Amino acid sequence: MSDPGFASLPEPPYYAVIFSSRRSDRDEAGYGAMAQRMVELVSRQPGFLGAESTRGADGFGITVAYFESEEAIRQWRQNAEHTAAREQGRRDWYDHFELRVAKVERAYGWDRAEPL
Amino acid sequence: MSDPGFASLPEPPYYAVIFSSRRSDRDEAGYGAMAQRMVELVSRQPGFLGAESTRGADGFGITVAYFESEEAIRQWRQNAEHTAAREQGRRDWYDHFELRVAKVERAYGWDRAEPL
């Protein structure tokens, strides 16, 4: 698949961290820099498989990050820079968020260029 | 929680259908009407718990729909109008999509107005 918006993932099972959020109207530049830094950082996290992320003009966004195991999620959660970013998220960047951790059991994809 | 972008869900476990997609540049009006109709239709599906959805200006979107059980997902998949919409999605509306079915094991939320 060539579209860089999609994560290239192995066959299930693996884990998904589904993070939905409403941005505050504050600090767009700081938020953007942090989001980019978190992508760099999680990409070096052992057990990280990939992520997909989008946000609409209304400030509502969904990021889904995929990991090999619960243990990899736990380690990412304990990363000190990630922990600091979460704290600043509550302080400045988000008005509301929901986080759900799920085990992916099956997956299916389709591409217009390779429909079969 | 008062923000209508977020689904109000029971305590886990429940199931998530994570649908990420790249829109084609075709038929924005038809796509919008279908998307609204699918929201109406799935809301009447037994076992449907709620959904969250967003799409960025680049056409990349993520929708996560939550269901009580695998059986509820199976029934929604067999809905005739939904099946026709999926077929038109491949024909007209999407260039690429990925669908992942996952069992939500734990969940956590935060709101600025109720931080504790």
Side-chain angles (χ1 to χ4, degrees):
Chain A
M1 124 192 21
S2 58
D3 187 323
F6 293 92
S8 269
L9 300 176
E11 291 295 308
Y14 47 81
Y15 285 82
V17 178
I18 306 166
F19 180 75
S20 55
S21 63
R22 177 77 67 184
R23 276 278 285 121
S24 71
D25 54 6
R26 295 194 295 279
D27 190 24
E28 185 62 26
Y31 172 76
M34 176 282 289
Q36 186 174 341
R37 174 64 183 154
M38 288 302 110
V39 169
E40 291 169 17
L41 203 59
V42 75
S43 298
R44 300 202 300 261
Q45 171 72 45
F48 173 74
L49 297 174
E52 299 172 351
S53 188
T54 186
R55 188 173 301 279
D58 62 353
F60 186 81
I62 300 175
T63 295
V64 189
Y66 295 98
F67 294 87
E68 278 177 5
S69 64
E70 291 260 31
E71 173 60 18
I73 295 171
R74 194 182 67 79
Q75 289 181 15
W76 170 236
R77 183 171 170 77
Q78 291 183 343
N79 177 289
E81 199 173 336
H82 180 212
T83 299
R86 291 201 307 278
E87 290 168 1
Q88 192 169 357
R90 288 183 176 80
R91 197 165 59 238
D92 295 331
W93 295 321
Y94 299 118
D95 282 344
H96 188 108
F97 63 74
E98 298 288 334
L99 187 144
R100 288 134 184 156
V101 179
K103 184 177 185 179
V104 177
E105 298 179 342
R106 59 184 196 275
Y108 169 75
W110 177 87
D111 190 275
R112 180 170 300 285
E114 303 166 19
L116 293 181
Chain B
M1 131 191 14
S2 59
D3 187 325
F6 293 92
S8 268
L9 300 176
E11 290 296 306
Y14 47 79
Y15 285 83
V17 178
I18 306 165
F19 179 75
S20 55
S21 63
R22 177 78 67 184
R23 277 277 287 123
S24 71
D25 54 6
R26 295 195 295 280
D27 190 25
E28 185 63 26
Y31 173 76
M34 176 282 289
Q36 187 174 342
R37 174 63 182 153
M38 288 302 111
V39 169
E40 293 170 17
L41 202 59
V42 76
S43 298
R44 300 203 300 261
Q45 171 72 45
F48 173 75
L49 297 175
E52 297 172 352
S53 187
T54 185
R55 187 174 302 280
D58 62 352
F60 186 82
I62 301 175
T63 295
V64 189
Y66 294 97
F67 295 87
E68 277 177 6
S69 64
E70 290 261 30
E71 174 60 18
I73 295 171
R74 193 182 67 79
Q75 289 181 16
W76 170 235
R77 183 171 170 77
Q78 293 183 342
N79 177 289
E81 199 172 335
H82 179 213
T83 299
R86 291 200 307 277
E87 290 169 0
Q88 193 169 356
R90 289 182 176 79
R91 197 165 60 239
D92 294 332
W93 294 322
Y94 299 118
D95 282 342
H96 188 108
F97 63 75
E98 298 288 335
L99 187 146
R100 289 135 185 155
V101 179
K103 184 176 184 179
V104 177
E105 298 179 344
R106 60 182 196 274
Y108 169 75
W110 177 86
D111 189 275
R112 181 169 300 285
E114 303 165 21
L116 294 181

